[in-house]
Amino acid sequence: MSEEVKVFGFWSSPFAHRVVLALRLKGVPYEYVEENIFGNKSPLLLQYNPVHKKVPVFLHNGKPIAESLVILEYIDEVWKSNPILPNDPHEKATARFWAKFFDDKCMPAIWKAFWCPDDEREKAVEEACGCLKTLESALNGKRFFGGEEIGFVDIAANFVGFWLRTIQEVTGLELVSAEKFPDLLKWSDEFVKHSVVKESLPPRDKQLEFNRVIVAKYEAGEIKA
Amino acid sequence: MSEEVKVFGFWSSPFAHRVVLALRLKGVPYEYVEENIFGNKSPLLLQYNPVHKKVPVFLHNGKPIAESLVILEYIDEVWKSNPILPNDPHEKATARFWAKFFDDKCMPAIWKAFWCPDDEREKAVEEACGCLKTLESALNGKRFFGGEEIGFVDIAANFVGFWLRTIQEVTGLELVSAEKFPDLLKWSDEFVKHSVVKESLPPRDKQLEFNRVIVAKYEAGEIKA
């Protein structure tokens, strides 16, 4: 393989993991570059993503792309095997709609529910649960959002599939449970046990330990929603 | 033409105008349904966009799509003439990146600069100008963001092309000027005088009058950033 395929990520970033997962699902070999998101950003990260200065950055034959959903679209277009977006234009639009809903509404609401001041929590949890209920409706009895296979929305919602449950475990705040969101919980189980997902996720213990560090930072007032 | 192509919009909505403009650039006949965004939402709007309950909604042969950028992608895929996204995958990713930047960063910052409390204005204006500066860099000497023709980013940034300047006129707050953003102002001039854009924009006087109503609502505390 003479072509250059590089991912600049951070091991615990669900957004960087989206890119890694898409490449692995397609069997595209890549080089992974770990960034230190708490320390100094590397000169290459700043060069390739000067607007947001964030991971993930995807580099293909010298050309950089930022924004994880934009990268997923690019990967799906360049490497055709194991498509992650449906071929039908309306189904494709529907997948894009839900991925956008996840990023615009679900992620901020979930994040706020965990890291807001205590006196705002009840309302924040209510809003997050409203978003999760809407997200769950998109499953509509399917195994994955993408149907029988993992697709664009499954990859986009990976935070709910893995990270959310590890944060629930550490904080004790349960947003997704068998009682509240049985279909979403079942999807999450299916997602994390998928062979390609499983082998690319961070080690669970390492993630739990990282969450404890985040909780300590939150309690020290260093992190705010 | 036996196929159903409908746009549910609001005459002054730049987001609805994105959809109308894409259809007109491609010469696709469509039926336009005006929604009253300040009154009761129509049962059809609620049926077709139950998640956000907002315009624009696009309906193609009975199948609804919401979210203006998602609709633009769909239109460009279904009607191939006068493409609005570049064909090259990396150029396409770049266009998607800038449209997303516009929606995620520029629009909220500009909106806040106009409608925030007075004591937050200085900081809000600074942030909006930072975003506009970044947006301007994407022009990079080109006539349009899309090159010689109007493309995805031009359509996405239509608010800066037309609406922003009418709000500047009514509020007296000048974010984009010949001194601060000469390239963006030049682009804006080119954009609004493009024959297809010109014939589909709201009448300028009607828009100015509408802005005055919005300013009055803001001053009465009915609108907050």
Side-chain angles (χ1 to χ4, degrees):
Chain A
M1 193 196 68
S2 66
E3 68 178 349
E4 177 192 43
V5 180
K6 266 189 196 172
V7 181
F8 294 76
F10 174 66
W11 68 271
S12 171
S13 162
F15 300 102
H17 184 267
R18 289 174 174 177
V19 179
V20 166
L21 181 55
L23 292 169
R24 287 187 174 222
L25 285 167
K26 285 178 176 285
V28 178
Y30 63 93
E31 186 187 331
Y32 177 79
V33 182
E34 177 76 353
E35 288 285 332
N36 177 4
I37 63 163
F38 292 117
N40 288 330
K41 314 218 167 169
S42 77
L44 280 181
L45 183 72
L46 299 178
Q47 176 189 332
Y48 293 140
N49 188 4
V51 173
H52 301 297
K53 304 176 178 68
K54 284 195 307 192
V55 297
V57 165
F58 185 66
L59 194 69
H60 187 206
N61 297 331
K63 291 183 175 175
I65 307 173
E67 291 286 0
S68 60
L69 295 185
V70 175
I71 299 169
L72 291 187
E73 296 252 10
Y74 178 85
I75 289 172
D76 205 36
E77 193 167 342
V78 171
W79 293 278
K80 305 284 186 197
S81 65
N82 298 332
I84 51 183
L85 276 161
N87 194 42
D88 172 77
H90 189 266
E91 286 177 26
K92 195 183 288 184
T94 304
R96 285 177 176 141
F97 172 87
W98 284 115
K100 186 169 168 50
F101 172 76
F102 188 78
D103 274 8
D104 292 355
K105 302 291 175 185
C106 274
M107 271 305 284
I110 293 170
W111 205 246
K112 191 170 179 188
F114 284 117
W115 313 120
C116 67
D118 285 341
D119 61 347
E120 296 173 17
R121 182 147 296 113
E122 192 179 329
K123 189 163 172 284
V125 167
E126 194 182 313
E127 280 182 18
C129 287
C131 287
L132 286 164
K133 193 175 172 196
T134 303
L135 180 69
E136 193 180 47
S137 75
L139 266 173
N140 199 18
K142 291 174 293 183
R143 183 177 173 209
F144 293 115
F145 289 99
E148 276 309 300
E149 298 296 335
I150 283 182
F152 197 63
V153 185
D154 299 281
I155 299 172
N158 67 355
F159 178 81
V160 170
F162 173 71
W163 283 265
L164 175 65
R165 290 172 72 175
T166 70
I167 300 175
Q168 294 191 161
E169 197 170 323
V170 166
T171 60
L173 175 63
E174 201 171 52
L175 295 179
V176 172
S177 66
E179 291 71 41
K180 284 190 282 190
F181 300 109
D183 292 349
L184 214 45
L185 197 78
K186 194 162 158 262
W187 165 80
S188 161
D189 285 337
E190 290 277 344
F191 182 74
V192 296
K193 79 180 184 202
H194 183 285
S195 61
V196 182
V197 176
K198 195 164 57 180
E199 71 183 16
S200 60
L201 284 174
R204 210 164 172 286
D205 287 350
K206 190 179 173 189
Q207 184 60 49
L208 288 171
E209 189 47 44
F210 183 72
N211 294 349
R212 285 184 200 103
V213 173
I214 298 293
V215 168
K217 280 179 186 283
Y218 164 72
E219 286 172 351
E222 292 169 36
I223 289 181
K224 287 186 182 75
Chain B
M1 190 196 72
S2 66
E3 69 178 347
E4 176 192 43
V5 180
K6 266 189 194 171
V7 180
F8 294 77
F10 174 66
W11 68 270
S12 171
S13 162
F15 300 102
H17 184 266
R18 289 174 175 177
V19 179
V20 165
L21 181 54
L23 292 169
R24 287 186 174 223
L25 284 166
K26 285 177 177 283
V28 178
Y30 62 93
E31 185 187 331
Y32 177 80
V33 182
E34 177 76 355
E35 288 285 332
N36 177 3
I37 64 162
F38 292 117
N40 288 330
K41 314 220 167 170
S42 78
L44 280 181
L45 183 72
L46 299 177
Q47 176 190 332
Y48 292 141
N49 189 4
V51 173
H52 301 297
K53 304 175 178 69
K54 286 196 304 194
V55 297
V57 164
F58 185 66
L59 195 69
H60 186 207
N61 297 331
K63 291 182 175 176
I65 307 174
E67 291 286 0
S68 60
L69 295 184
V70 175
I71 299 169
L72 291 186
E73 295 252 10
Y74 178 85
I75 289 172
D76 205 36
E77 194 166 342
V78 170
W79 292 278
K80 306 284 186 195
S81 65
N82 299 333
I84 52 183
L85 276 161
N87 194 42
D88 172 78
H90 189 266
E91 286 176 27
K92 194 183 289 184
T94 305
R96 285 177 175 140
F97 173 87
W98 285 116
K100 186 170 168 51
F101 171 76
F102 188 80
D103 274 8
D104 292 355
K105 304 289 176 188
C106 274
M107 271 303 283
I110 293 169
W111 205 245
K112 191 169 178 186
F114 283 116
W115 313 119
C116 67
D118 285 340
D119 61 349
E120 296 173 17
R121 180 146 298 110
E122 193 180 328
K123 190 163 173 284
V125 167
E126 194 181 315
E127 280 181 19
C129 287
C131 287
L132 287 164
K133 192 175 174 197
T134 303
L135 180 69
E136 192 179 47
S137 75
L139 266 172
N140 199 19
K142 291 173 294 183
R143 183 175 173 211
F144 294 114
F145 290 98
E148 276 309 300
E149 297 296 334
I150 284 184
F152 197 63
V153 184
D154 300 280
I155 299 173
N158 67 354
F159 178 81
V160 170
F162 173 72
W163 283 264
L164 174 65
R165 290 172 73 175
T166 70
I167 300 176
Q168 292 190 161
E169 197 168 324
V170 166
T171 60
L173 175 63
E174 201 171 52
L175 295 179
V176 172
S177 67
E179 292 71 40
K180 283 190 282 191
F181 300 110
D183 293 349
L184 214 45
L185 197 78
K186 194 161 158 261
W187 166 79
S188 162
D189 286 337
E190 291 278 343
F191 181 75
V192 296
K193 78 180 185 203
H194 183 286
S195 60
V196 182
V197 175
K198 195 165 54 180
E199 72 183 16
S200 61
L201 284 175
R204 209 162 173 287
D205 287 349
K206 189 178 174 190
Q207 184 61 47
L208 288 171
E209 189 47 45
F210 183 73
N211 294 349
R212 286 185 198 103
V213 173
I214 298 292
V215 168
K217 281 179 186 281
Y218 164 73
E219 286 172 352
E222 291 170 36
I223 288 182
K224 287 188 182 73

